[in-house]
Amino acid sequence: MTENIELTHQQERAFQPQKLSAPRDFIIPKTIADTEDETPLILEIGAGKGKHALSFALQNPDKHLIAIERTRNKFEAFSKLARSQQLRNLDAIHADAIAWTVHAIKPNSLAKIFILYPNPEQHNPNQQWLNMPFFEFLLSRLQVDGEVILVTNIEAYMNDAERQATKVWCLPSVRYRVPKDSQRTHFEVKYLARQEVCWELSIRKPKWYKTRFDHWQPSTPDIKK
Ligand SMILES: C[S@@+](CC[C@H](N)C(=O)[O-])C[C@H]1O[C@@H](n2cnc3c(N)ncnc32)[C@H](O)[C@@H]1O
């Protein structure tokens, strides 16, 4: 991990994945464990009650979505709906997405990552995903030409994220306004009903991109579902 490679980005402080224990009751879903499975793998961080996850899985049967939510009551609502809909291409996971990703996701394996309305505490920029050293690890799990989609109603968060994508992570990004009739998540519905502007940032991983974690894998044994 600390090998002397020329990094593509400007993030000096390195994330330390080896310090994170696996989440309680951790098991690796079959789709991830099966190395022969070529179904595009998508990750959603902070899925809430799962509105987006359920409709995405339903509309994209050719893709597999792993949707993670750490707040118990939201996860329970999500999990109940997921069980009732029996979508084979959706794994609803109750965990902290950082520890879970470190232990479950292989390098260069995700086609897309959704982070929809993360809403950090307004005065704590360290909670913004592109401000975290973990973001470098997340980029190492993304495939070449894979996409991170970050959506927020907080204009300052979007401005910071757009600047960090360029200046810190040296990544191409495109910023959009979310259409007024979009209804992907409960928070999106709420903000757009209040006539707030919602922003979306699409970040792509170029072919030449290098991180410190491109070959890093956890040493925990695989526990398969
Ligand atoms: C403001 S809510 C948005 C939920 C949903 N994406 C939506 O738009 O309706 C943000 C969610 O992210 C979850 N979250 C934040 N950090 C997380 C993490 N590290 N791992 C898993 N979930 C996280 C919170 O528990 C919360 O439910």
Side-chain angles (χ1 to χ4, degrees):
M1 189 183 74
T2 50
E3 69 203 74
N4 223 352
I5 52 168
E6 203 162 314
L7 299 173
T8 316
H9 59 76
Q10 302 291 323
Q11 169 69 27
E12 281 176 21
R13 194 153 62 93
F15 178 62
Q16 301 203 30
Q18 73 286 0
K19 291 196 172 167
L20 283 183
S21 317
R24 203 182 316 157
D25 303 327
F26 174 70
I27 38 176
I28 295 184
K30 202 163 148 277
T31 325
I32 298 188
D34 183 357
T35 49
E36 304 291 301
D37 192 336
E38 291 186 358
T39 309
L41 194 60
I42 319 290
L43 179 69
E44 181 172 346
I45 294 180
K49 294 180 182 171
K51 182 172 167 54
H52 172 262
L54 291 159
S55 58
F56 181 90
L58 196 62
Q59 285 160 23
N60 294 275
D62 57 332
K63 300 186 175 66
H64 193 96
L65 177 66
I66 294 172
I68 310 181
E69 173 52 52
R70 73 174 173 197
T71 304
R72 179 172 297 278
N73 62 353
K74 290 188 187 180
F75 175 75
E76 280 170 1
F78 173 24
S79 165
K80 198 168 158 197
L81 285 171
R83 277 198 307 273
S84 71
Q85 297 195 21
Q86 294 191 340
L87 294 162
R88 295 169 66 95
N89 61 333
L90 172 65
D91 281 304
I93 306 282
H94 182 214
D96 179 277
I98 298 180
W100 199 89
T101 300
V102 161
H103 285 273
I105 309 277
K106 296 189 194 86
N108 191 30
S109 63
L110 297 171
K112 197 178 272 210
I113 301 167
F114 287 107
I115 307 175
L116 307 177
Y117 302 94
N119 290 28
E121 284 171 32
Q122 294 266 11
H123 302 295
N124 192 349
N126 291 338
Q127 290 183 356
Q128 296 179 6
W129 288 97
L130 276 82
N131 248 332
M132 297 184 197
F134 169 70
F135 196 72
E136 178 179 2
F137 189 88
L138 201 54
L139 290 171
S140 75
R141 309 294 106 171
L142 198 59
Q143 294 170 343
V144 167
D145 209 33
E147 187 183 19
V148 179
I149 297 200
L150 173 76
V151 187
T152 182
N153 62 320
I154 305 168
E155 192 170 7
Y157 187 165
M158 185 46 58
N159 292 343
D160 284 352
E162 195 177 18
R163 189 172 48 246
Q164 284 152 349
T166 311
K167 293 255 158 62
V168 178
W169 301 110
C170 306
L171 285 163
S173 67
V174 187
R175 176 173 174 163
Y176 306 94
R177 253 176 107 136
V178 173
K180 288 182 181 151
D181 59 351
S182 184
Q183 304 198 342
R184 286 173 295 187
T185 78
H186 291 295
F187 277 75
E188 188 163 86
V189 170
K190 181 171 80 177
Y191 297 138
L192 292 172
R194 295 200 305 226
Q195 315 290 324
E196 290 183 30
V197 175
C198 297
W199 303 99
E200 177 159 332
L201 193 69
S202 158
I203 302 169
R204 288 242 175 230
K205 180 175 171 178
K207 197 167 161 200
W208 35 261
Y209 207 78
K210 283 198 176 55
T211 81
R212 282 168 276 221
F213 307 104
D214 294 342
H215 305 287
W216 191 92
Q217 302 246 40
S219 51
T220 41
D222 273 10
I223 309 158
K224 295 173 185 128
K225 210 179 190 179

